[in-house]
PDB file of all heavy atoms in Angstrom:
ATOM      1  N   ALA S   1      -1.527 -14.347   0.253  1.00 97.00           N
ATOM      2  CA  ALA S   1      -0.269 -14.723   0.908  1.00 97.00           C
ATOM      3  C   ALA S   1       0.866 -13.803   0.456  1.00 97.00           C
ATOM      4  O   ALA S   1       1.719 -13.419   1.264  1.00 97.00           O
ATOM      5  CB  ALA S   1       0.067 -16.181   0.608  1.00 97.00           C
ATOM      6  N   GLY S   2       0.871 -13.417  -0.816  1.00 97.00           N
ATOM      7  CA  GLY S   2       1.876 -12.480  -1.316  1.00 97.00           C
ATOM      8  C   GLY S   2       1.754 -11.122  -0.649  1.00 97.00           C
ATOM      9  O   GLY S   2       2.754 -10.490  -0.290  1.00 97.00           O
ATOM     10  N   PHE S   3       0.521 -10.671  -0.464  1.00 97.00           N
ATOM     11  CA  PHE S   3       0.277  -9.405   0.239  1.00 97.00           C
ATOM     12  C   PHE S   3       0.807  -9.501   1.671  1.00 97.00           C
ATOM     13  O   PHE S   3       1.488  -8.594   2.157  1.00 97.00           O
ATOM     14  CB  PHE S   3      -1.222  -9.084   0.226  1.00 97.00           C
ATOM     15  CG  PHE S   3      -1.579  -7.780   0.870  1.00 97.00           C
ATOM     16  CD1 PHE S   3      -1.466  -6.593   0.169  1.00 97.00           C
ATOM     17  CD2 PHE S   3      -2.051  -7.737   2.173  1.00 97.00           C
ATOM     18  CE1 PHE S   3      -1.800  -5.380   0.759  1.00 97.00           C
ATOM     19  CE2 PHE S   3      -2.398  -6.539   2.769  1.00 97.00           C
ATOM     20  CZ  PHE S   3      -2.272  -5.347   2.061  1.00 97.00           C
ATOM     21  N   GLU S   4       0.518 -10.605   2.324  1.00 97.00           N
ATOM     22  CA  GLU S   4       0.989 -10.817   3.699  1.00 97.00           C
ATOM     23  C   GLU S   4       2.515 -10.870   3.776  1.00 97.00           C
ATOM     24  O   GLU S   4       3.100 -10.335   4.712  1.00 97.00           O
ATOM     25  CB  GLU S   4       0.390 -12.112   4.274  1.00 97.00           C
ATOM     26  CG  GLU S   4      -1.072 -12.007   4.606  1.00 97.00           C
ATOM     27  CD  GLU S   4      -1.346 -11.081   5.777  1.00 97.00           C
ATOM     28  OE1 GLU S   4      -0.709 -11.242   6.838  1.00 97.00           O
ATOM     29  OE2 GLU S   4      -2.190 -10.186   5.611  1.00 97.00           O
ATOM     30  N   ARG S   5       3.155 -11.519   2.798  1.00 97.00           N
ATOM     31  CA  ARG S   5       4.631 -11.553   2.771  1.00 97.00           C
ATOM     32  C   ARG S   5       5.205 -10.150   2.637  1.00 97.00           C
ATOM     33  O   ARG S   5       6.156  -9.790   3.323  1.00 97.00           O
ATOM     34  CB  ARG S   5       5.131 -12.428   1.616  1.00 97.00           C
ATOM     35  CG  ARG S   5       5.195 -13.903   1.929  1.00 97.00           C
ATOM     36  CD  ARG S   5       5.959 -14.687   0.869  1.00 97.00           C
ATOM     37  NE  ARG S   5       5.425 -14.529  -0.486  1.00 97.00           N
ATOM     38  CZ  ARG S   5       4.382 -15.182  -0.970  1.00 97.00           C
ATOM     39  NH1 ARG S   5       3.733 -16.061  -0.209  1.00 97.00           N
ATOM     40  NH2 ARG S   5       3.979 -14.981  -2.206  1.00 97.00           N
ATOM     41  N   SER S   6       4.602  -9.349   1.768  1.00 97.00           N
ATOM     42  CA  SER S   6       5.064  -7.964   1.594  1.00 97.00           C
ATOM     43  C   SER S   6       4.848  -7.162   2.871  1.00 97.00           C
ATOM     44  O   SER S   6       5.688  -6.334   3.245  1.00 97.00           O
ATOM     45  CB  SER S   6       4.332  -7.297   0.430  1.00 97.00           C
ATOM     46  OG  SER S   6       4.691  -7.894  -0.786  1.00 97.00           O
ATOM     47  N   LEU S   7       3.752  -7.408   3.544  1.00 96.00           N
ATOM     48  CA  LEU S   7       3.466  -6.728   4.807  1.00 96.00           C
ATOM     49  C   LEU S   7       4.492  -7.119   5.866  1.00 96.00           C
ATOM     50  O   LEU S   7       5.058  -6.255   6.551  1.00 96.00           O
ATOM     51  CB  LEU S   7       2.049  -7.091   5.261  1.00 96.00           C
ATOM     52  CG  LEU S   7       1.432  -6.294   6.391  1.00 96.00           C
ATOM     53  CD1 LEU S   7       1.353  -4.822   6.040  1.00 96.00           C
ATOM     54  CD2 LEU S   7       0.031  -6.831   6.675  1.00 96.00           C
ATOM     55  N   ARG S   8       4.768  -8.411   5.971  1.00 96.00           N
ATOM     56  CA  ARG S   8       5.743  -8.917   6.936  1.00 96.00           C
ATOM     57  C   ARG S   8       7.145  -8.387   6.649  1.00 96.00           C
ATOM     58  O   ARG S   8       7.901  -8.074   7.564  1.00 96.00           O
ATOM     59  CB  ARG S   8       5.746 -10.448   6.909  1.00 96.00           C
ATOM     60  CG  ARG S   8       6.307 -11.101   8.142  1.00 96.00           C
ATOM     61  CD  ARG S   8       6.169 -12.631   8.145  1.00 96.00           C
ATOM     62  NE  ARG S   8       4.884 -13.144   7.710  1.00 96.00           N
ATOM     63  CZ  ARG S   8       4.663 -13.761   6.543  1.00 96.00           C
ATOM     64  NH1 ARG S   8       5.627 -13.968   5.692  1.00 96.00           N
ATOM     65  NH2 ARG S   8       3.458 -14.194   6.239  1.00 96.00           N
ATOM     66  N   ALA S   9       7.491  -8.253   5.363  1.00 97.00           N
ATOM     67  CA  ALA S   9       8.825  -7.802   4.961  1.00 97.00           C
ATOM     68  C   ALA S   9       8.931  -6.280   4.933  1.00 97.00           C
ATOM     69  O   ALA S   9       9.992  -5.748   4.606  1.00 97.00           O
ATOM     70  CB  ALA S   9       9.164  -8.364   3.582  1.00 97.00           C
ATOM     71  N   ASP S  10       7.844  -5.594   5.279  1.00 95.00           N
ATOM     72  CA  ASP S  10       7.812  -4.132   5.226  1.00 95.00           C
ATOM     73  C   ASP S  10       8.235  -3.651   3.833  1.00 95.00           C
ATOM     74  O   ASP S  10       9.115  -2.807   3.686  1.00 95.00           O
ATOM     75  CB  ASP S  10       8.696  -3.532   6.328  1.00 95.00           C
ATOM     76  CG  ASP S  10       8.400  -2.056   6.554  1.00 95.00           C
ATOM     77  OD1 ASP S  10       7.275  -1.618   6.231  1.00 95.00           O
ATOM     78  OD2 ASP S  10       9.301  -1.337   7.021  1.00 95.00           O
ATOM     79  N   ASP S  11       7.594  -4.229   2.816  1.00 97.00           N
ATOM     80  CA  ASP S  11       7.900  -3.960   1.414  1.00 97.00           C
ATOM     81  C   ASP S  11       6.778  -3.130   0.787  1.00 97.00           C
ATOM     82  O   ASP S  11       5.813  -3.690   0.247  1.00 97.00           O
ATOM     83  CB  ASP S  11       8.064  -5.293   0.676  1.00 97.00           C
ATOM     84  CG  ASP S  11       8.259  -5.148  -0.815  1.00 97.00           C
ATOM     85  OD1 ASP S  11       8.487  -4.015  -1.300  1.00 97.00           O
ATOM     86  OD2 ASP S  11       8.175  -6.175  -1.519  1.00 97.00           O
ATOM     87  N   PRO S  12       6.881  -1.800   0.843  1.00 97.00           N
ATOM     88  CA  PRO S  12       5.801  -0.962   0.315  1.00 97.00           C
ATOM     89  C   PRO S  12       5.567  -1.159  -1.178  1.00 97.00           C
ATOM     90  O   PRO S  12       4.418  -1.108  -1.629  1.00 97.00           O
ATOM     91  CB  PRO S  12       6.241   0.467   0.623  1.00 97.00           C
ATOM     92  CG  PRO S  12       7.657   0.392   1.013  1.00 97.00           C
ATOM     93  CD  PRO S  12       7.959  -1.001   1.413  1.00 97.00           C
ATOM     94  N   ASN S  13       6.601  -1.408  -1.957  1.00 97.00           N
ATOM     95  CA  ASN S  13       6.425  -1.632  -3.392  1.00 97.00           C
ATOM     96  C   ASN S  13       5.600  -2.901  -3.637  1.00 97.00           C
ATOM     97  O   ASN S  13       4.685  -2.911  -4.462  1.00 97.00           O
ATOM     98  CB  ASN S  13       7.775  -1.720  -4.099  1.00 97.00           C
ATOM     99  CG  ASN S  13       7.618  -1.778  -5.595  1.00 97.00           C
ATOM    100  OD1 ASN S  13       6.909  -0.974  -6.182  1.00 97.00           O
ATOM    101  ND2 ASN S  13       8.270  -2.747  -6.218  1.00 97.00           N
ATOM    102  N   GLY S  14       5.911  -3.968  -2.914  1.00 97.00           N
ATOM    103  CA  GLY S  14       5.152  -5.209  -3.038  1.00 97.00           C
ATOM    104  C   GLY S  14       3.703  -5.038  -2.635  1.00 97.00           C
ATOM    105  O   GLY S  14       2.793  -5.574  -3.284  1.00 97.00           O
ATOM    106  N   LEU S  15       3.474  -4.280  -1.568  1.00 98.00           N
ATOM    107  CA  LEU S  15       2.100  -4.032  -1.114  1.00 98.00           C
ATOM    108  C   LEU S  15       1.319  -3.243  -2.169  1.00 98.00           C
ATOM    109  O   LEU S  15       0.181  -3.588  -2.484  1.00 98.00           O
ATOM    110  CB  LEU S  15       2.106  -3.263   0.207  1.00 98.00           C
ATOM    111  CG  LEU S  15       2.571  -4.046   1.431  1.00 98.00           C
ATOM    112  CD1 LEU S  15       2.801  -3.115   2.607  1.00 98.00           C
ATOM    113  CD2 LEU S  15       1.566  -5.124   1.789  1.00 98.00           C
ATOM    114  N   CYS S  16       1.946  -2.222  -2.716  1.00 98.00           N
ATOM    115  CA  CYS S  16       1.266  -1.397  -3.721  1.00 98.00           C
ATOM    116  C   CYS S  16       0.985  -2.183  -4.993  1.00 98.00           C
ATOM    117  O   CYS S  16      -0.068  -2.016  -5.605  1.00 98.00           O
ATOM    118  CB  CYS S  16       2.099  -0.150  -4.013  1.00 98.00           C
ATOM    119  SG  CYS S  16       2.103   1.009  -2.618  1.00 98.00           S
ATOM    120  N   THR S  17       1.894  -3.048  -5.377  1.00 97.00           N
ATOM    121  CA  THR S  17       1.688  -3.890  -6.555  1.00 97.00           C
ATOM    122  C   THR S  17       0.509  -4.830  -6.347  1.00 97.00           C
ATOM    123  O   THR S  17      -0.205  -5.150  -7.293  1.00 97.00           O
ATOM    124  CB  THR S  17       2.970  -4.695  -6.860  1.00 97.00           C
ATOM    125  OG1 THR S  17       4.020  -3.777  -7.121  1.00 97.00           O
ATOM    126  CG2 THR S  17       2.796  -5.611  -8.042  1.00 97.00           C
ATOM    127  N   ALA S  18       0.279  -5.250  -5.107  1.00 98.00           N
ATOM    128  CA  ALA S  18      -0.795  -6.187  -4.789  1.00 98.00           C
ATOM    129  C   ALA S  18      -2.168  -5.528  -4.721  1.00 98.00           C
ATOM    130  O   ALA S  18      -3.192  -6.215  -4.707  1.00 98.00           O
ATOM    131  CB  ALA S  18      -0.503  -6.887  -3.465  1.00 98.00           C
ATOM    132  N   LEU S  19      -2.211  -4.197  -4.694  1.00 98.00           N
ATOM    133  CA  LEU S  19      -3.487  -3.491  -4.556  1.00 98.00           C
ATOM    134  C   LEU S  19      -4.233  -3.368  -5.879  1.00 98.00           C
ATOM    135  O   LEU S  19      -3.633  -3.194  -6.936  1.00 98.00           O
ATOM    136  CB  LEU S  19      -3.257  -2.078  -3.997  1.00 98.00           C
ATOM    137  CG  LEU S  19      -2.734  -1.970  -2.581  1.00 98.00           C
ATOM    138  CD1 LEU S  19      -2.550  -0.500  -2.203  1.00 98.00           C
ATOM    139  CD2 LEU S  19      -3.628  -2.673  -1.583  1.00 98.00           C
ATOM    140  N   ALA S  20      -5.546  -3.399  -5.779  1.00 98.00           N
ATOM    141  CA  ALA S  20      -6.400  -3.122  -6.937  1.00 98.00           C
ATOM    142  C   ALA S  20      -6.197  -1.661  -7.342  1.00 98.00           C
ATOM    143  O   ALA S  20      -5.924  -0.810  -6.485  1.00 98.00           O
ATOM    144  CB  ALA S  20      -7.862  -3.373  -6.564  1.00 98.00           C
ATOM    145  N   PRO S  21      -6.317  -1.345  -8.621  1.00 97.00           N
ATOM    146  CA  PRO S  21      -6.066   0.024  -9.079  1.00 97.00           C
ATOM    147  C   PRO S  21      -6.867   1.091  -8.328  1.00 97.00           C
ATOM    148  O   PRO S  21      -6.315   2.127  -7.944  1.00 97.00           O
ATOM    149  CB  PRO S  21      -6.463  -0.018 -10.561  1.00 97.00           C
ATOM    150  CG  PRO S  21      -6.327  -1.446 -10.954  1.00 97.00           C
ATOM    151  CD  PRO S  21      -6.646  -2.248  -9.729  1.00 97.00           C
ATOM    152  N   GLU S  22      -8.148   0.863  -8.106  1.00 97.00           N
ATOM    153  CA  GLU S  22      -8.971   1.865  -7.421  1.00 97.00           C
ATOM    154  C   GLU S  22      -8.563   2.020  -5.951  1.00 97.00           C
ATOM    155  O   GLU S  22      -8.582   3.118  -5.406  1.00 97.00           O
ATOM    156  CB  GLU S  22     -10.450   1.495  -7.520  1.00 97.00           C
ATOM    157  CG  GLU S  22     -11.359   2.623  -7.082  1.00 97.00           C
ATOM    158  CD  GLU S  22     -12.812   2.350  -7.417  1.00 97.00           C
ATOM    159  OE1 GLU S  22     -13.100   1.891  -8.535  1.00 97.00           O
ATOM    160  OE2 GLU S  22     -13.642   2.613  -6.542  1.00 97.00           O
ATOM    161  N   THR S  23      -8.174   0.934  -5.317  1.00 98.00           N
ATOM    162  CA  THR S  23      -7.723   0.995  -3.923  1.00 98.00           C
ATOM    163  C   THR S  23      -6.431   1.795  -3.831  1.00 98.00           C
ATOM    164  O   THR S  23      -6.276   2.664  -2.967  1.00 98.00           O
ATOM    165  CB  THR S  23      -7.529  -0.425  -3.360  1.00 98.00           C
ATOM    166  OG1 THR S  23      -8.756  -1.139  -3.500  1.00 98.00           O
ATOM    167  CG2 THR S  23      -7.112  -0.398  -1.905  1.00 98.00           C
ATOM    168  N   ARG S  24      -5.508   1.512  -4.738  1.00 98.00           N
ATOM    169  CA  ARG S  24      -4.237   2.242  -4.776  1.00 98.00           C
ATOM    170  C   ARG S  24      -4.484   3.736  -5.016  1.00 98.00           C
ATOM    171  O   ARG S  24      -3.937   4.589  -4.325  1.00 98.00           O
ATOM    172  CB  ARG S  24      -3.348   1.652  -5.864  1.00 98.00           C
ATOM    173  CG  ARG S  24      -2.004   2.310  -5.946  1.00 98.00           C
ATOM    174  CD  ARG S  24      -1.144   1.686  -7.029  1.00 98.00           C
ATOM    175  NE  ARG S  24       0.116   2.381  -7.110  1.00 98.00           N
ATOM    176  CZ  ARG S  24       1.277   1.796  -7.309  1.00 98.00           C
ATOM    177  NH1 ARG S  24       1.345   0.490  -7.476  1.00 98.00           N
ATOM    178  NH2 ARG S  24       2.384   2.503  -7.364  1.00 98.00           N
ATOM    179  N   SER S  25      -5.344   4.031  -5.972  1.00 97.00           N
ATOM    180  CA  SER S  25      -5.647   5.418  -6.306  1.00 97.00           C
ATOM    181  C   SER S  25      -6.282   6.158  -5.127  1.00 97.00           C
ATOM    182  O   SER S  25      -5.917   7.296  -4.818  1.00 97.00           O
ATOM    183  CB  SER S  25      -6.580   5.450  -7.516  1.00 97.00           C
ATOM    184  OG  SER S  25      -6.932   6.755  -7.839  1.00 97.00           O
ATOM    185  N   GLU S  26      -7.225   5.501  -4.472  1.00 97.00           N
ATOM    186  CA  GLU S  26      -7.880   6.142  -3.325  1.00 97.00           C
ATOM    187  C   GLU S  26      -6.900   6.373  -2.176  1.00 97.00           C
ATOM    188  O   GLU S  26      -6.942   7.406  -1.513  1.00 97.00           O
ATOM    189  CB  GLU S  26      -9.065   5.303  -2.852  1.00 97.00           C
ATOM    190  CG  GLU S  26      -9.863   6.034  -1.791  1.00 97.00           C
ATOM    191  CD  GLU S  26     -11.270   5.515  -1.657  1.00 97.00           C
ATOM    192  OE1 GLU S  26     -11.935   5.318  -2.684  1.00 97.00           O
ATOM    193  OE2 GLU S  26     -11.695   5.332  -0.511  1.00 97.00           O
ATOM    194  N   LEU S  27      -5.997   5.429  -1.955  1.00 97.00           N
ATOM    195  CA  LEU S  27      -4.974   5.583  -0.912  1.00 97.00           C
ATOM    196  C   LEU S  27      -4.088   6.786  -1.215  1.00 97.00           C
ATOM    197  O   LEU S  27      -3.847   7.630  -0.343  1.00 97.00           O
ATOM    198  CB  LEU S  27      -4.136   4.311  -0.808  1.00 97.00           C
ATOM    199  CG  LEU S  27      -2.913   4.376   0.113  1.00 97.00           C
ATOM    200  CD1 LEU S  27      -3.330   4.602   1.562  1.00 97.00           C
ATOM    201  CD2 LEU S  27      -2.095   3.097  -0.020  1.00 97.00           C
ATOM    202  N   GLU S  28      -3.620   6.877  -2.449  1.00 97.00           N
ATOM    203  CA  GLU S  28      -2.744   7.993  -2.834  1.00 97.00           C
ATOM    204  C   GLU S  28      -3.464   9.334  -2.706  1.00 97.00           C
ATOM    205  O   GLU S  28      -2.894  10.309  -2.226  1.00 97.00           O
ATOM    206  CB  GLU S  28      -2.245   7.795  -4.274  1.00 97.00           C
ATOM    207  CG  GLU S  28      -1.265   6.652  -4.403  1.00 97.00           C
ATOM    208  CD  GLU S  28      -0.904   6.327  -5.840  1.00 97.00           C
ATOM    209  OE1 GLU S  28      -1.719   6.594  -6.764  1.00 97.00           O
ATOM    210  OE2 GLU S  28       0.188   5.781  -6.042  1.00 97.00           O
ATOM    211  N   GLU S  29      -4.728   9.348  -3.119  1.00 96.00           N
ATOM    212  CA  GLU S  29      -5.495  10.585  -3.049  1.00 96.00           C
ATOM    213  C   GLU S  29      -5.768  10.999  -1.604  1.00 96.00           C
ATOM    214  O   GLU S  29      -5.606  12.164  -1.243  1.00 96.00           O
ATOM    215  CB  GLU S  29      -6.815  10.414  -3.801  1.00 96.00           C
ATOM    216  CG  GLU S  29      -7.591  11.700  -3.952  1.00 96.00           C
ATOM    217  CD  GLU S  29      -8.835  11.512  -4.792  1.00 96.00           C
ATOM    218  OE1 GLU S  29      -8.722  10.920  -5.881  1.00 96.00           O
ATOM    219  OE2 GLU S  29      -9.908  11.968  -4.351  1.00 96.00           O
ATOM    220  N   SER S  30      -6.159  10.064  -0.774  1.00 95.00           N
ATOM    221  CA  SER S  30      -6.490  10.404   0.617  1.00 95.00           C
ATOM    222  C   SER S  30      -5.265  10.806   1.428  1.00 95.00           C
ATOM    223  O   SER S  30      -5.346  11.658   2.307  1.00 95.00           O
ATOM    224  CB  SER S  30      -7.233   9.262   1.301  1.00 95.00           C
ATOM    225  OG  SER S  30      -6.375   8.164   1.509  1.00 95.00           O
ATOM    226  N   GLU S  31      -4.116  10.220   1.110  1.00 96.00           N
ATOM    227  CA  GLU S  31      -2.888  10.532   1.858  1.00 96.00           C
ATOM    228  C   GLU S  31      -2.050  11.610   1.171  1.00 96.00           C
ATOM    229  O   GLU S  31      -1.025  12.030   1.701  1.00 96.00           O
ATOM    230  CB  GLU S  31      -2.048   9.268   2.036  1.00 96.00           C
ATOM    231  CG  GLU S  31      -2.711   8.194   2.881  1.00 96.00           C
ATOM    232  CD  GLU S  31      -2.889   8.609   4.330  1.00 96.00           C
ATOM    233  OE1 GLU S  31      -1.982   9.267   4.884  1.00 96.00           O
ATOM    234  OE2 GLU S  31      -3.933   8.266   4.907  1.00 96.00           O
ATOM    235  N   LYS S  32      -2.448  12.010  -0.031  1.00 97.00           N
ATOM    236  CA  LYS S  32      -1.710  13.013  -0.812  1.00 97.00           C
ATOM    237  C   LYS S  32      -0.229  12.651  -0.933  1.00 97.00           C
ATOM    238  O   LYS S  32       0.656  13.466  -0.729  1.00 97.00           O
ATOM    239  CB  LYS S  32      -1.843  14.412  -0.184  1.00 97.00           C
ATOM    240  CG  LYS S  32      -3.255  14.877   0.049  1.00 97.00           C
ATOM    241  CD  LYS S  32      -3.914  15.306  -1.234  1.00 97.00           C
ATOM    242  CE  LYS S  32      -5.240  15.985  -0.985  1.00 97.00           C
ATOM    243  NZ  LYS S  32      -6.395  15.189  -1.284  1.00 97.00           N
ATOM    244  N   ALA S  33       0.011  11.390  -1.263  1.00 97.00           N
ATOM    245  CA  ALA S  33       1.381  10.875  -1.391  1.00 97.00           C
ATOM    246  C   ALA S  33       1.371   9.682  -2.332  1.00 97.00           C
ATOM    247  O   ALA S  33       0.310   9.129  -2.643  1.00 97.00           O
ATOM    248  CB  ALA S  33       1.917  10.454  -0.021  1.00 97.00           C
ATOM    249  N   SER S  34       2.556   9.283  -2.770  1.00 97.00           N
ATOM    250  CA  SER S  34       2.666   8.080  -3.601  1.00 97.00           C
ATOM    251  C   SER S  34       2.211   6.882  -2.781  1.00 97.00           C
ATOM    252  O   SER S  34       2.229   6.913  -1.542  1.00 97.00           O
ATOM    253  CB  SER S  34       4.107   7.880  -4.060  1.00 97.00           C
ATOM    254  OG  SER S  34       4.919   7.512  -2.954  1.00 97.00           O
ATOM    255  N   CYS S  35       1.817   5.837  -3.448  1.00 98.00           N
ATOM    256  CA  CYS S  35       1.346   4.638  -2.749  1.00 98.00           C
ATOM    257  C   CYS S  35       2.402   4.127  -1.782  1.00 98.00           C
ATOM    258  O   CYS S  35       2.099   3.789  -0.641  1.00 98.00           O
ATOM    259  CB  CYS S  35       0.973   3.554  -3.761  1.00 98.00           C
ATOM    260  SG  CYS S  35       0.344   2.048  -2.978  1.00 98.00           S
ATOM    261  N   GLU S  36       3.654   4.079  -2.242  1.00 97.00           N
ATOM    262  CA  GLU S  36       4.742   3.547  -1.415  1.00 97.00           C
ATOM    263  C   GLU S  36       4.899   4.330  -0.111  1.00 97.00           C
ATOM    264  O   GLU S  36       5.180   3.759   0.939  1.00 97.00           O
ATOM    265  CB  GLU S  36       6.058   3.527  -2.199  1.00 97.00           C
ATOM    266  CG  GLU S  36       6.110   2.472  -3.287  1.00 97.00           C
ATOM    267  CD  GLU S  36       5.312   2.816  -4.544  1.00 97.00           C
ATOM    268  OE1 GLU S  36       4.817   3.963  -4.682  1.00 97.00           O
ATOM    269  OE2 GLU S  36       5.157   1.922  -5.399  1.00 97.00           O
ATOM    270  N   LYS S  37       4.699   5.645  -0.153  1.00 97.00           N
ATOM    271  CA  LYS S  37       4.777   6.456   1.076  1.00 97.00           C
ATOM    272  C   LYS S  37       3.487   6.341   1.881  1.00 97.00           C
ATOM    273  O   LYS S  37       3.512   6.245   3.103  1.00 97.00           O
ATOM    274  CB  LYS S  37       5.066   7.912   0.732  1.00 97.00           C
ATOM    275  CG  LYS S  37       6.473   8.139   0.252  1.00 97.00           C
ATOM    276  CD  LYS S  37       6.749   9.591   0.004  1.00 97.00           C
ATOM    277  CE  LYS S  37       8.183   9.742  -0.519  1.00 97.00           C
ATOM    278  NZ  LYS S  37       8.494  11.124  -0.820  1.00 97.00           N
ATOM    279  N   ALA S  38       2.361   6.356   1.189  1.00 97.00           N
ATOM    280  CA  ALA S  38       1.063   6.338   1.857  1.00 97.00           C
ATOM    281  C   ALA S  38       0.789   5.018   2.574  1.00 97.00           C
ATOM    282  O   ALA S  38       0.207   5.006   3.660  1.00 97.00           O
ATOM    283  CB  ALA S  38      -0.049   6.614   0.849  1.00 97.00           C
ATOM    284  N   ILE S  39       1.234   3.910   1.999  1.00 96.00           N
ATOM    285  CA  ILE S  39       0.950   2.599   2.596  1.00 96.00           C
ATOM    286  C   ILE S  39       1.624   2.455   3.964  1.00 96.00           C
ATOM    287  O   ILE S  39       1.129   1.761   4.845  1.00 96.00           O
ATOM    288  CB  ILE S  39       1.335   1.440   1.642  1.00 96.00           C
ATOM    289  CG1 ILE S  39       0.646   0.122   2.045  1.00 96.00           C
ATOM    290  CG2 ILE S  39       2.823   1.214   1.579  1.00 96.00           C
ATOM    291  CD1 ILE S  39      -0.680  -0.076   1.463  1.00 96.00           C
ATOM    292  N   ALA S  40       2.731   3.150   4.140  1.00 92.00           N
ATOM    293  CA  ALA S  40       3.456   3.086   5.412  1.00 92.00           C
ATOM    294  C   ALA S  40       2.645   3.676   6.563  1.00 92.00           C
ATOM    295  O   ALA S  40       2.837   3.290   7.721  1.00 92.00           O
ATOM    296  CB  ALA S  40       4.789   3.808   5.282  1.00 92.00           C
ATOM    297  N   SER S  41       1.728   4.594   6.254  1.00 91.00           N
ATOM    298  CA  SER S  41       0.936   5.220   7.312  1.00 91.00           C
ATOM    299  C   SER S  41      -0.292   4.391   7.698  1.00 91.00           C
ATOM    300  O   SER S  41      -0.989   4.727   8.655  1.00 91.00           O
ATOM    301  CB  SER S  41       0.486   6.614   6.875  1.00 91.00           C
ATOM    302  OG  SER S  41      -0.458   6.508   5.824  1.00 91.00           O
ATOM    303  N   GLN S  42      -0.537   3.316   6.981  1.00 94.00           N
ATOM    304  CA  GLN S  42      -1.704   2.473   7.253  1.00 94.00           C
ATOM    305  C   GLN S  42      -1.367   1.429   8.320  1.00 94.00           C
ATOM    306  O   GLN S  42      -0.298   0.850   8.301  1.00 94.00           O
ATOM    307  CB  GLN S  42      -2.156   1.773   5.970  1.00 94.00           C
ATOM    308  CG  GLN S  42      -2.443   2.700   4.826  1.00 94.00           C
ATOM    309  CD  GLN S  42      -3.513   3.721   5.161  1.00 94.00           C
ATOM    310  OE1 GLN S  42      -4.642   3.358   5.492  1.00 94.00           O
ATOM    311  NE2 GLN S  42      -3.174   4.992   5.077  1.00 94.00           N
ATOM    312  N   GLU S  43      -2.271   1.209   9.220  1.00 93.00           N
ATOM    313  CA  GLU S  43      -2.062   0.206  10.269  1.00 93.00           C
ATOM    314  C   GLU S  43      -2.771  -1.086   9.884  1.00 93.00           C
ATOM    315  O   GLU S  43      -3.839  -1.408  10.402  1.00 93.00           O
ATOM    316  CB  GLU S  43      -2.551   0.739  11.609  1.00 93.00           C
ATOM    317  CG  GLU S  43      -1.725   1.918  12.092  1.00 93.00           C
ATOM    318  CD  GLU S  43      -2.149   2.414  13.459  1.00 93.00           C
ATOM    319  OE1 GLU S  43      -2.790   1.648  14.216  1.00 93.00           O
ATOM    320  OE2 GLU S  43      -1.851   3.572  13.755  1.00 93.00           O
ATOM    321  N   ILE S  44      -2.136  -1.813   8.974  1.00 95.00           N
ATOM    322  CA  ILE S  44      -2.696  -3.076   8.497  1.00 95.00           C
ATOM    323  C   ILE S  44      -2.060  -4.194   9.318  1.00 95.00           C
ATOM    324  O   ILE S  44      -0.842  -4.328   9.337  1.00 95.00           O
ATOM    325  CB  ILE S  44      -2.393  -3.282   6.999  1.00 95.00           C
ATOM    326  CG1 ILE S  44      -2.925  -2.098   6.194  1.00 95.00           C
ATOM    327  CG2 ILE S  44      -2.999  -4.596   6.511  1.00 95.00           C
ATOM    328  CD1 ILE S  44      -2.413  -2.045   4.775  1.00 95.00           C
TER     329      ILE S  44
END
């Protein structure tokens, strides 16, 4: 529910905080950007 609230509020910091470390790391690596920037490009 916290992840969903962050998604609804367009809160990239909240979304990144909710991610498992390996998921966050893989997102940053695949997008070549910080989690906060990379999460914005995801269509969740």
Side-chain angles (χ1 to χ4, degrees):
F3 182 82
E4 287 292 309
R5 276 192 303 279
S6 293
L7 192 59
R8 201 174 316 108
D10 196 24
D11 175 11
N13 187 49
L15 289 169
C16 290
T17 299
L19 294 179
E22 192 170 316
T23 303
R24 182 179 178 141
S25 178
E26 187 159 314
L27 173 64
E28 290 172 334
E29 188 176 311
S30 70
E31 296 294 321
K32 306 284 189 255
S34 70
C35 181
E36 288 76 9
K37 288 184 182 178
I39 198 88
S41 68
Q42 305 302 301
E43 294 183 21
I44 304 167

